[in-house]
Amino acid sequence: MRIALLTGGGDCPGLNAVIYAAVKKGINHYGDEFIGFLNGWKGVLDNNFIPLTLEAIDGIQLKGGTILHSSRTNVKKIPGGIEKVQQVLKANKIDALIALGGDDTQSVTLYLCENGINAVGVPKTIDNDISGTDQTFGFDTAVMIATEAVDRIHTTADSHNRVIVVEVMGRDAGWIAYASGVAGGAHVVLVPEKEIDIDRVCKLLKYNYDHGKHYGVVVVAEGAHLPEVGQVINEAAAKDSFGHVRLSGIGEALANLIEKKTGYETRSVNLGHTQRGGVPTAFDRLLGQRYGLHAIDMVHEGKWGRIAVLRGTDIADIPIKDAITTNRRLDQRFFDVIASLEAKV
Ligand code: F6P
């Protein structure tokens, strides 16, 4: 078969591992040929691609980012977009498409499948919030980076008797905040699933100061909601083509509120895209390769409109529509972990 791959949406450590495994198995075991469209769906619309040979993918499973580059391009919104995609795939004699991306990218994959294109999906996001899969690749790397940052914040906050708020990624779900906050021993962990109770945050921090610990570490997800404010948005930034606002700044807003309400000197740090950069962990390289191997098998089994998922320790697949209808968010079990480790206030 002649197969095309692409990566859409925010990049994620482990994307290259997926590409590596799908292409390697496809060439060696199925006799396939591959091309990679550059810059996500934009590359398909622009007919911009590179050949993906064994030489081209050699060693890429160790690297972060995506050798195919990425963009947030919504084909559904572009007049004539679907026709253009059909035309480009036909001109390049593409039998099947493997799309690596989160819910936005996969909403396009599904739309194309509904319009007669043979495509399968691989779930990607450091946010770990895709329904139907127990873990997306990239999450483990992001948690490792965020946890290391939280660890480091403890010593500087302690030295200066300060509160420091660490803002991590997590637009709709607080998986990174939960994992790095608990692993990094934060005193307060705040997630998008629960509105922030600022008085309780201050009480938790005061507990530290009243019990001989003159500093505090707060981890907050970028998508957490402040009462009366909601999510903190970068108003100057335009919405992306899927209609998403750019989140940023809750850490700073929260730090200002904490300082005002408690009188403790407070700082904030936003980890931002650091969490998406650099080499994937061993776990993400392995998970990415397992997803890639499953994706190429899905293609040869004609499982169009389906997406690879991790179920427990097994890789399986489900309809794309089941993966993108809702976000997978933290539930009571995780709130209980956070609450059980907090001071009793
Ligand atoms: O990939 C998801 C994500 O990391 C979100 O947590 C974050 O809001 C968004 O991407 C940032 O995207 P961009 O790279 O376009 O600023």
Side-chain angles (χ1 to χ4, degrees):
M1 293 176 83
R2 204 166 138 76
I3 300 164
L5 279 98
L6 64 83
T7 54
D11 73 336
C12 182
L15 280 166
N16 288 328
V18 180
I19 298 168
Y20 173 83
V23 172
K24 193 156 188 191
K25 184 167 185 186
I27 294 176
N28 286 341
H29 294 260
Y30 290 114
D32 294 330
E33 269 178 36
F34 290 87
I35 64 164
F37 284 109
L38 298 176
N39 308 317
W41 295 117
K42 185 174 182 304
V44 186
L45 296 169
D46 296 345
N47 194 22
N48 184 11
F49 62 86
I50 53 169
L52 287 175
T53 58
L54 288 177
E55 291 70 33
I57 59 146
D58 188 34
I60 63 166
Q61 76 276 30
L62 318 182
K63 295 183 181 154
T66 162
I67 60 158
L68 297 179
H69 303 270
S70 193
S71 71
R72 296 184 194 275
T73 306
N74 191 351
V75 176
K76 292 178 287 177
K77 274 200 174 165
I78 296 169
I82 180 76
E83 291 77 16
K84 180 75 191 167
V85 169
Q86 283 164 334
Q87 190 192 319
V88 170
L89 294 182
K90 198 167 169 217
N92 290 295
K93 299 189 170 49
I94 298 302
D95 300 306
L97 189 63
I98 302 175
L100 282 54
D103 43 8
D104 293 333
T105 301
Q106 302 306 348
S107 71
V108 176
T109 314
L110 179 60
Y111 175 69
L112 296 179
C113 289
E114 287 164 353
N115 284 278
I117 286 167
N118 296 338
V120 300
V122 177
K124 169 256 38 155
T125 170
I126 63 160
D127 288 1
N128 202 31
D129 62 352
I130 296 185
S131 285
T133 187
D134 291 336
Q135 189 154 337
T136 49
F137 58 89
F139 172 65
D140 186 66
T141 308
V143 169
M144 192 205 69
I145 295 164
T147 303
E148 199 207 325
V150 176
D151 287 351
R152 289 176 185 276
I153 289 297
H154 277 276
T155 57
T156 177
D158 189 7
S159 304
H160 289 266
N161 309 309
R162 285 171 175 162
V163 173
I164 300 187
V165 180
V166 182
E167 177 176 329
V168 298
M169 280 190 172
R171 172 172 280 277
D172 301 300
W175 293 103
I176 298 176
Y178 160 76
S180 63
V182 171
H187 307 109
V188 185
V189 177
L190 302 166
V191 296
E193 290 86 344
K194 279 193 156 189
E195 190 177 68
I196 296 172
D197 178 345
I198 187 70
D199 292 329
R200 185 154 192 283
V201 170
C202 294
K203 275 189 201 154
L204 285 168
L205 293 168
K206 189 166 183 307
Y207 179 93
N208 278 6
Y209 284 74
D210 289 347
H211 291 80
K213 189 190 270 285
H214 293 277
Y215 81 97
V217 177
V218 178
V219 172
V220 62
E222 61 178 352
H225 297 244
L226 274 172
E228 288 153 38
V229 176
Q231 292 181 314
V232 178
I233 293 164
N234 178 346
E235 301 284 358
K239 286 186 184 173
D240 71 17
S241 70
F242 291 90
H244 299 306
V245 292
R246 196 174 304 165
L247 298 173
S248 185
I250 189 146
E252 196 183 351
L254 193 61
N256 291 339
L257 262 178
I258 291 170
E259 186 164 286
K260 203 164 111 195
K261 284 187 175 271
T262 61
Y264 304 141
E265 188 183 357
T266 307
R267 296 281 195 277
S268 69
V269 59
N270 186 348
L271 301 186
H273 293 83
T274 321
Q275 296 158 94
R276 295 217 309 242
V279 295
T281 57
F283 182 90
D284 280 336
R285 293 179 201 186
L286 178 58
L287 182 61
Q289 291 186 71
R290 291 181 72 206
Y291 273 129
L293 296 177
H294 195 77
I296 193 66
D297 290 341
M298 284 163 70
V299 165
H300 284 277
E301 288 162 24
K303 290 183 162 179
W304 315 129
R306 295 180 73 84
I307 186 165
V309 292
L310 180 71
R311 285 282 166 92
T313 54
D314 294 328
I315 303 284
D317 48 81
I318 60 170
I320 291 177
K321 68 170 169 3
D322 294 349
I324 61 174
T325 316
T326 51
N327 286 113
R328 194 175 76 93
R329 308 182 88 201
L330 296 171
D331 60 34
Q332 195 56 46
R333 293 169 300 165
F334 302 95
F335 304 145
D336 286 347
V337 172
I338 295 172
S340 306
L341 293 168
E342 280 172 353
K344 202 125 185 74
V345 293

